[in-house]
Amino acid sequence: MDEEEVIKFLGEARIKGYASGKAYSPGRIEGFKEFSYADGKLKYTDMYSGSIFFSGQETIFDNNTPVWGMVYYGGILNDDYDASEVYDFLRKALRDIPADLPLRGKEIFSGTKFVYKNSVQGDIWHFIGYEEIEHMENTIYELHYSGGYIE
């Protein structure tokens, strides 16, 4: 797999997936929601279950063979916040992705009420990361993610 091709394709898929705000379809597995995006020989899928707290998996296929994957788990930590408001802000942060490593959002994204922070170690082929949303310096949402090359 060509690294630049995967990075470019993943960035496109991210913008068209969860970050777009479009509804996901019922998944192939009961209780899951799913989004798919394809361009030529590459296909991306994102499947998750849950809402306030959720777990999911993203996969890139090359000619129907899995070549890249990421797993994630996260949620809203404080019941005092409206989930739709928090997740609307998250989608805005995830539309502003770094072009060189489009795993999640940029290191910092600020809105009028919330601040998104993301830290990641590694590269597109082997990584681990953590994102959070803060309100008045209190973490109200967090997500752990990891993944890389599949062979």
Side-chain angles (χ1 to χ4, degrees):
M1 278 301 311
D2 177 67
E3 183 173 331
E4 288 182 26
E5 183 181 23
V6 170
I7 288 172
K8 181 179 180 284
F9 177 74
L10 181 60
E12 292 169 3
R14 291 228 178 276
I15 296 298
K16 295 178 190 245
Y18 181 77
S20 73
K22 294 178 185 172
Y24 276 36
S25 302
R28 291 172 279 174
I29 301 171
E30 189 172 335
F32 279 76
K33 295 178 182 173
E34 185 171 344
F35 168 80
S36 292
Y37 170 74
D39 186 9
K41 64 180 184 145
L42 297 178
K43 181 180 178 182
Y44 164 89
T45 62
D46 179 11
M47 295 176 42
Y48 76 93
S49 182
S51 57
I52 303 300
F53 284 95
F54 54 89
S55 175
Q57 175 178 332
E58 300 175 21
T59 308
I60 292 177
F61 300 85
D62 183 1
N63 288 319
N64 295 319
T65 300
V67 295
W68 180 91
M70 182 177 93
V71 295
Y72 56 87
Y73 173 80
I76 298 174
L77 305 173
N78 188 321
D79 292 341
D80 294 337
Y81 293 90
D82 176 54
S84 63
E85 182 181 21
V86 173
Y87 290 137
D88 284 347
F89 174 75
L90 176 62
R91 279 189 285 279
K92 287 178 188 171
L94 295 179
R95 284 192 293 269
D96 189 25
I97 55 176
D100 60 335
L101 193 61
L103 299 172
R104 297 295 288 172
K106 291 184 177 176
E107 281 187 46
I108 296 180
F109 177 86
S110 295
T112 56
K113 183 175 181 179
F114 301 124
V115 176
Y116 169 92
K117 295 181 180 180
N118 182 38
S119 62
V120 61
Q121 297 174 1
D123 59 27
I124 194 75
W125 303 122
H126 185 251
F127 60 87
I128 186 168
Y130 174 77
E131 73 181 15
E132 63 185 338
I133 295 175
E134 294 180 349
H135 178 246
M136 299 174 60
E137 298 184 13
N138 294 311
T139 301
I140 63 164
Y141 159 92
E142 71 176 5
L143 178 117
H144 301 266
Y145 62 96
S146 63
Y149 183 66
I150 299 172
E151 185 173 28

